[in-house]
């Protein structure tokens, strides 16, 4: 069984390490850094937006916000973003976590993750499409697709999510054209 947050905090707070990030090619920042002190555990875990579907903006979003929809899933593009293409796949109904999905929806999700990844990768000039799920912000089940450009070694790996906010946005015209191409590939 994992340690309690109090046990974990007591063990690590005085012994935080600084990984040699400044030596990593993918690390986006320059300059001297140190870890922030680790604050003690909170009384409760941080609540997410739209918990239990109450006041959930994703449940009430109109289909117009999405570039592809089906009976049970909807896909929207974020941006224009710094990375060439960033999209989010959402369940139409409110589910919180992947393990909450009924089996038929979980199976459908697997197929959709693969199709969407392929559709985005086929835009061309894409090195990788990262398929991610964090889910600490909004509770409504959502999956990230983050496409990084090919042949720019500094943009590989998980820092791509940070680079997305550093790179200036893709020109709107290109972005709209790419959305249309991904939508067409999914039909
Ligand atoms: Zn919802």
């Amino acid at each position: 069984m994992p340690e309690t947050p109090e046990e974990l905090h007591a063990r690590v707070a005085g012994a935080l390490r600084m990984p040699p990030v400044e030596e990593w090619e993918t690390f986006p920042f320059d300059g001297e850094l140190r870890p922030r002190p680790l604050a003690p555990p909170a009384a409760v875990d941080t609540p997410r937006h739209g918990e239990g579907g109450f006041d959930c903006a994703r449940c009430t979003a109109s289909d117009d916000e999405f570039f592809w929809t089906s009976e049970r899933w909807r896909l929207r593009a974020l941006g224009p973003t710094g990375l060439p293409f960033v999209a989010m796949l959402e369940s139409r109904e409110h589910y919180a976590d992947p393990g909450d999905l009924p089996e038929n929806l979980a199976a459908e999700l697997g197929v959709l993750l693969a199709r969407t990844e392929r559709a985005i990768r086929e835009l061309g000039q894409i090195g990788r499409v990262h398929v991610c799920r964090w889910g600490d912000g909004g509770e409504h089940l959502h999956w990230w697709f983050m496409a990084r450009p090919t042949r720019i070694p500094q943009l590989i790996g998980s820092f791509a999510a940070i680079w997305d906010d550093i790179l200036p946005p893709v020109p709107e015209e290109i972005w709209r054209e790419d959305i249309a191409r991904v939508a067409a590939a999914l039909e």
Side-chain angles (χ1 to χ4, degrees):
M1 193 183 192
E3 299 162 287
T4 66
E6 285 76 14
E7 288 165 347
L8 184 146
H9 185 265
R11 178 173 58 79
V12 306
L16 297 180
R17 303 172 296 170
M18 188 62 210
V21 285
E22 71 279 1
E23 293 169 18
W24 301 352
E25 192 181 19
T26 57
F27 191 66
F29 306 106
D30 250 339
E32 204 179 318
L33 293 161
R34 60 180 186 278
R36 284 190 184 179
L38 189 65
V44 293
D45 202 42
T46 306
R48 300 188 283 184
H49 302 294
E51 282 202 348
F54 184 72
D55 273 346
C56 175
R58 304 323 306 152
C59 280
T60 53
S62 145
D63 271 9
D64 300 344
E65 284 184 35
F66 299 82
F67 67 83
W68 180 88
T69 61
S70 72
E71 204 182 320
R72 288 176 288 275
W73 301 93
R74 304 195 286 183
L75 192 58
R76 66 188 171 111
L78 280 81
T81 46
L83 291 175
F85 202 83
V86 178
M88 205 178 259
L89 178 69
E90 299 175 5
S91 54
R92 197 178 267 282
E93 271 188 68
H94 190 96
Y95 291 99
D97 296 302
D100 296 343
L101 287 173
E103 300 245 307
N104 64 324
L105 269 182
E108 212 170 65
L109 170 66
V111 173
L112 261 179
L113 291 176
R115 275 191 198 155
T116 307
E117 185 277 333
R118 186 169 57 235
I120 298 172
R121 180 162 32 100
E122 285 175 354
L123 285 171
Q125 307 301 330
I126 302 295
R128 197 88 56 216
V129 182
H130 300 301
V131 182
C132 329
R133 190 268 172 177
W134 281 284
D136 266 343
E139 184 186 78
H140 194 116
L141 185 64
H142 58 284
W143 291 78
W144 288 90
F145 296 84
M146 293 188 171
R148 68 156 173 87
T150 187
R151 293 189 294 104
I152 304 185
Q154 276 177 273
L155 303 187
I156 69 169
S158 54
F159 284 122
I162 307 292
W163 279 107
D164 182 45
D165 289 319
I166 299 173
L167 305 170
V170 171
E172 173 124 12
E173 203 181 297
I174 296 177
W175 179 68
R176 293 206 176 276
E177 190 185 301
D178 288 343
I179 293 174
R181 286 179 58 204
V182 173
L186 286 167
E187 284 312 320

